[in-house]
Amino acid sequence: MAAEPVSHAAPPRGFPVAEFERRTRRAQGLMHAARLDALLLTTEPEVRWFTGFHTRFWESPTRPWFVVVPAAEKPVAVIPAIGAAAMAATWVEDIRTWPAPAPGDDGVTLLGACLAEQPARHGRIGLPMGHETHLRMPLADFERLRARLGARELVDCRDLLRALRDVKSELEIDKLRHACRVASDAFDALPGEMTAGRSERAIARAMTVDLLRRGADAVPYLAAASGPGGYDNIISGPSDRVPAAGDVLVIDTGATFDGYFCDFDRNWAFGHASDAARRAHEVCFDATEAGLAVARPGATAADLWAAMWRVLEAGGALGNDVGRLGHGLGMQLTEGHSNMPGDGTVLRPGMVLTLEPGMEFAPGRLMVHEEDIVIRESAPELLSRRGPRELPVVA
Amino acid sequence: MAAEPVSHAAPPRGFPVAEFERRTRRAQGLMHAARLDALLLTTEPEVRWFTGFHTRFWESPTRPWFVVVPAAEKPVAVIPAIGAAAMAATWVEDIRTWPAPAPGDDGVTLLGACLAEQPARHGRIGLPMGHETHLRMPLADFERLRARLGARELVDCRDLLRALRDVKSELEIDKLRHACRVASDAFDALPGEMTAGRSERAIARAMTVDLLRRGADAVPYLAAASGPGGYDNIISGPSDRVPAAGDVLVIDTGATFDGYFCDFDRNWAFGHASDAARRAHEVCFDATEAGLAVARPGATAADLWAAMWRVLEAGGALGNDVGRLGHGLGMQLTEGHSNMPGDGTVLRPGMVLTLEPGMEFAPGRLMVHEEDIVIRESAPELLSRRGPRELPVVA
């Protein structure tokens, strides 16, 4: 690789305490309306959103981590002792630890006691149970915990959490914008790495290294796929396949800055492009334009889908196995709504999402294009640098 | 960074079909003994172990993925349509898809039907519910699924899965060895990156880039921490802190090759080292030696702990918040047993694990050392290149 790439000035890391106070106050307002005595959180983005606790140690499946959000007080951390010092560096003050791992009682007693302390005004505790959520603790431990809750009911609080997280603060958007800018620069530079004989894997590796050197903290997601005249899926690679003349290559990446993701892709043809592939790329570009035109406050996610799908269908789409044409974006690679029929999520200023028109343009041949945007009062703000209408051809 | 680092020859990717057949046969033998009609799997390592399905798309929380292991037939994939082409490239033949995301019925009906098809000989289906496991599907969907199972009981199959995965095949060990070799080389080269004024974050970034250039596929885990005379935790960094003279820096990494992890750390002092830090490093080295001497077939994980803790305690350990002195290693950064009191796991040839002696050697000052090994018939095989006894000092 050539000289060190120029890196953009990065926004500050973390958030002021006032942002966590605001988040918690808003949560407690919604909890009151939903008649919840507390929230119980077990997953990384939820714990981080309320506390600022930021570690890659979640990669280890051994220890569960819990945060309880009371009806009126600050969040309480119920966590393995190994995390005490890191949690103490956040705004959280009430930190209760146990010496994990302890398979016989991995925090269940401690968590049960913490929940029992919460004043039982409504007899209901919120736990994310709906779409896109999971419970990050052993199911057998959960059953034990449930037995300790007595008459208290656990109810799904997924919609409440979405209502809190769908609209991003400007400080969050600064992080998302930076992740997208770094990835835009890396995508722009990538054709220089596509020299003859290099495999998908080698190209993807060069992209990952470049993302890091330009200021990404991590690259949790990077997929690459290629094939003659088009690729047949967008999630399985990179492989050792070496793109040949006439191939189309797609790379899709989710790189992070301070725990916030970009998520967009770019396509290239090697040597020359078939008419069908070039046309499909233009159709996807035009579909994105249609999405951008509709992406205004008050429109729904289903409206975005309809605007983009109309263009794709008129452009010869045979189908779309992705199941949607974009989605919410933030602390997770995909989060929140889906641009698809039936998703009535109303767009509001500050929502961050992807426009991801894609289609099977010939049997077993896909074209998928993606951009990241913020909904603003009028036209949306592009976070990713808009890709070209014409399918780029690399020599 | 200097010239392209020399990379070791990488072992082949993937596994021959015979390995998946063997795994499935072994599983079905244990299922028969445990009176299970089928296994239901929802998490990445479990799905990959049985099918070879390997994608970073699990990073997206939107879609659940299911694999059913029947009592006698090949595994059945019940997955979102977006994964059909990638799953079709594995040895799995029975692939059932639905157009996900479909929040109203995200595979529940399809999965329920697949489970209902399994001959009900015992009336029991295995699902991982114990230590270190979680259910990767919305809890509300799980309740709907359970209602469809009728009289069929879901029982914990965590121990069965551990029995299958604890001993690695030589093909798996080849991948683990390669990941460890790449990380050993990167650790050896890292002092060259520790120039004056560089932050923990800059050093950690250089390490990540180097790991990738040497042949790691991804670096899902990399933590760094430093402090005057020692660090106070091992999971929260890297931060923008710039190590100063007298500081100790630790870097711990979990890099992968073909989906298999290394997990070990190294320590350095900047400029000069305190006597206490130097002594603590030697004690950790000696504790590892004690662990290596005990790491033989027939010994238990608790024996490993006792041998290492004896050395740490004699060396002045005030405590250890990590909660254990190492753990199993493989497709996950941490998996299987823990080297701790009460863990009676008996070591067998082919088990891969870390020896991770660590201690608080002064109030708020930790020293943690880690190596990766394979249990063999006699002495263990070191996968990581053995670190030095003396705490390295970088200028």
Side-chain angles (χ1 to χ4, degrees):
Chain A
M1 205 167 300
E4 196 75 22
V6 177
S7 51
H8 298 278
R13 290 181 180 270
F15 295 99
V17 169
E19 176 130 346
F20 293 109
E21 288 170 344
R22 204 157 38 230
R23 291 176 183 182
T24 301
R25 263 200 314 274
R26 281 180 55 214
Q28 289 167 339
L30 296 181
M31 287 161 62
H32 182 79
R35 298 185 300 110
L36 298 178
D37 295 330
L39 302 181
L40 169 58
L41 309 171
T42 67
T43 38
E44 196 276 339
E46 285 68 32
V47 166
R48 177 158 51 100
W49 193 84
F50 276 99
T51 66
F53 184 69
H54 193 183
T55 167
R56 292 169 76 183
F57 196 67
W58 294 86
E59 187 65 35
S60 165
T62 301
R63 299 171 186 81
W65 302 76
F66 307 110
V67 161
V68 173
V69 182
E73 307 295 322
K74 287 172 61 170
V76 180
V78 182
I79 60 171
I82 194 173
M87 187 62 83
T90 73
W91 80 302
V92 175
E93 290 171 316
D94 190 346
I95 301 167
R96 309 175 188 191
T97 68
W98 79 96
D105 181 6
D106 237 351
V108 173
T109 299
L110 199 62
L111 176 61
C114 178
L115 289 170
E117 273 173 32
Q118 307 306 314
R121 183 163 171 201
H122 305 292
R124 290 151 48 97
I125 291 168
L127 176 74
M129 301 184 190
H131 181 58
E132 266 184 355
T133 73
H134 70 268
L135 178 72
R136 191 186 179 276
M137 71 185 290
L139 206 53
D141 286 354
F142 176 67
E143 295 301 341
R144 274 177 225 142
L145 177 73
R146 183 135 65 175
R148 285 170 175 270
L149 293 180
R152 276 228 179 130
E153 195 189 354
L154 288 165
V155 300
D156 183 23
C157 66
R158 184 258 178 185
D159 290 346
L160 182 154
L161 293 173
R162 265 204 59 192
L164 290 169
R165 282 177 50 197
D166 272 358
V167 170
K168 270 63 178 177
S169 73
E170 290 303 323
L171 293 178
E172 289 183 290
I173 292 171
D174 287 346
K175 297 177 198 291
L176 290 158
R177 188 185 294 111
H178 189 65
C180 288
R181 189 181 286 185
V182 163
S184 293
D185 288 350
F187 273 129
D188 283 353
L190 194 57
E193 300 286 349
M194 297 180 188
T195 46
R198 282 193 110 175
S199 65
E200 290 173 8
R201 198 184 309 281
I203 295 167
R205 189 184 306 266
M207 170 94 181
T208 304
V209 166
D210 198 37
L211 284 163
L212 293 166
R213 295 173 83 213
R214 290 177 189 273
D217 292 336
V219 186
Y221 187 68
L222 195 137
S226 66
Y231 39 89
D232 70 353
N233 87 92
I234 60 166
I235 69 162
S236 71
S239 75
D240 288 323
R241 187 173 189 284
V242 176
D247 281 10
V248 178
L249 168 71
V250 65
I251 293 187
D252 190 5
T253 192
T256 59
F257 173 76
D258 207 22
Y260 283 77
F261 274 91
C262 68
D263 178 23
F264 62 102
D265 72 7
R266 290 294 179 259
N267 294 271
W268 301 267
F270 279 68
H272 57 86
S274 70
D275 286 347
R278 286 196 294 128
R279 177 79 190 119
H281 193 269
E282 290 168 4
V283 169
C284 286
F285 180 95
D286 294 346
T288 305
E289 290 294 306
L292 289 169
V294 170
R296 298 288 187 284
T300 66
D303 293 338
L304 286 177
W305 175 84
M308 290 188 277
W309 185 248
R310 199 173 302 126
V311 177
L312 295 172
E313 200 164 39
L318 305 178
N320 177 345
D321 277 349
V322 176
R324 56 183 181 176
L325 302 179
H327 50 78
L329 176 68
M331 299 168 71
Q332 290 169 284
L333 178 68
T334 69
E335 64 177 40
H337 75 269
S338 294
N339 300 334
M340 63 185 288
D343 192 321
T345 304
V346 176
L347 304 183
R348 286 174 291 161
M351 287 178 65
V352 176
L353 55 114
T354 80
L355 298 177
E356 188 176 8
M359 61 176 179
E360 191 171 4
F361 64 90
R365 294 288 165 261
L366 310 180
M367 182 66 70
V368 179
H369 186 80
E370 193 169 19
E371 304 281 9
D372 298 344
I373 67 172
V374 188
I375 301 299
R376 295 298 192 184
E377 291 297 342
S378 56
E381 174 188 350
L382 267 163
L383 295 180
S384 50
R385 194 174 305 138
R386 188 79 170 96
R389 183 165 190 267
E390 196 175 330
L391 177 60
V393 177
V394 293
Chain B
M1 202 167 300
E4 195 74 22
V6 177
S7 51
H8 299 278
R13 290 182 180 270
F15 293 99
V17 169
E19 177 130 344
F20 293 110
E21 289 171 342
R22 203 156 39 229
R23 291 177 182 181
T24 301
R25 264 200 312 273
R26 283 180 54 215
Q28 290 167 337
L30 296 181
M31 287 161 62
H32 182 79
R35 298 184 301 109
L36 298 177
D37 295 330
L39 302 182
L40 169 58
L41 308 171
T42 67
T43 39
E44 195 277 339
E46 286 67 33
V47 166
R48 177 158 50 101
W49 194 84
F50 276 100
T51 65
F53 184 68
H54 193 183
T55 167
R56 293 170 75 184
F57 196 67
W58 294 85
E59 186 66 35
S60 166
T62 302
R63 300 170 185 81
W65 302 77
F66 307 110
V67 161
V68 173
V69 182
E73 307 295 321
K74 287 172 61 169
V76 180
V78 182
I79 60 171
I82 193 174
M87 187 62 83
T90 72
W91 80 301
V92 175
E93 289 171 317
D94 189 346
I95 300 167
R96 307 172 188 193
T97 68
W98 79 95
D105 181 5
D106 237 352
V108 172
T109 299
L110 200 61
L111 175 61
C114 178
L115 289 170
E117 274 173 31
Q118 307 305 314
R121 182 162 170 202
H122 306 290
R124 290 151 50 97
I125 291 169
L127 177 73
M129 300 184 192
H131 182 58
E132 265 184 355
T133 72
H134 69 267
L135 178 73
R136 191 186 179 278
M137 70 185 289
L139 206 54
D141 285 354
F142 177 66
E143 295 302 340
R144 275 177 225 141
L145 177 73
R146 183 135 65 174
R148 285 170 175 270
L149 293 180
R152 274 223 181 136
E153 195 188 355
L154 288 164
V155 299
D156 182 23
C157 67
R158 184 257 178 184
D159 291 346
L160 181 153
L161 292 173
R162 265 204 59 194
L164 290 169
R165 282 177 49 197
D166 272 359
V167 171
K168 270 64 179 177
S169 73
E170 289 303 322
L171 293 179
E172 290 183 288
I173 292 171
D174 288 346
K175 297 178 199 291
L176 290 157
R177 188 185 294 110
H178 189 65
C180 289
R181 188 181 286 184
V182 163
S184 293
D185 288 351
F187 273 128
D188 284 353
L190 194 58
E193 301 285 350
M194 296 181 191
T195 47
R198 281 193 111 177
S199 66
E200 290 173 11
R201 197 183 310 279
I203 295 167
R205 191 184 304 267
M207 170 92 181
T208 305
V209 166
D210 199 36
L211 283 164
L212 293 166
R213 295 174 82 214
R214 290 177 189 275
D217 291 337
V219 186
Y221 187 68
L222 194 136
S226 65
Y231 40 88
D232 70 354
N233 87 92
I234 58 167
I235 70 163
S236 71
S239 75
D240 288 323
R241 187 174 188 284
V242 176
D247 282 9
V248 179
L249 168 72
V250 65
I251 293 187
D252 190 4
T253 193
T256 58
F257 174 76
D258 206 22
Y260 283 78
F261 274 91
C262 68
D263 177 24
F264 62 103
D265 73 7
R266 290 294 179 259
N267 294 271
W268 301 267
F270 279 68
H272 57 85
S274 69
D275 286 347
R278 285 195 294 127
R279 177 78 190 119
H281 194 268
E282 289 167 6
V283 169
C284 286
F285 180 95
D286 295 346
T288 306
E289 290 294 305
L292 289 169
V294 170
R296 299 287 186 283
T300 66
D303 294 338
L304 285 177
W305 175 84
M308 291 188 277
W309 185 248
R310 200 174 300 126
V311 177
L312 296 172
E313 201 164 38
L318 304 178
N320 177 343
D321 276 350
V322 177
R324 57 183 181 176
L325 303 178
H327 49 79
L329 177 68
M331 298 167 73
Q332 290 168 286
L333 179 67
T334 70
E335 64 176 42
H337 76 270
S338 294
N339 300 335
M340 64 185 289
D343 192 321
T345 304
V346 176
L347 304 183
R348 286 173 291 163
M351 285 176 66
V352 176
L353 56 115
T354 79
L355 298 177
E356 189 176 9
M359 60 175 177
E360 191 173 4
F361 64 90
R365 295 287 164 264
L366 310 180
M367 182 66 72
V368 180
H369 186 81
E370 194 168 18
E371 303 281 11
D372 299 343
I373 67 173
V374 188
I375 302 299
R376 295 297 193 184
E377 291 297 343
S378 55
E381 175 188 349
L382 267 162
L383 295 181
S384 50
R385 194 174 305 138
R386 188 78 171 97
R389 183 165 189 268
E390 196 175 329
L391 177 60
V393 178
V394 294

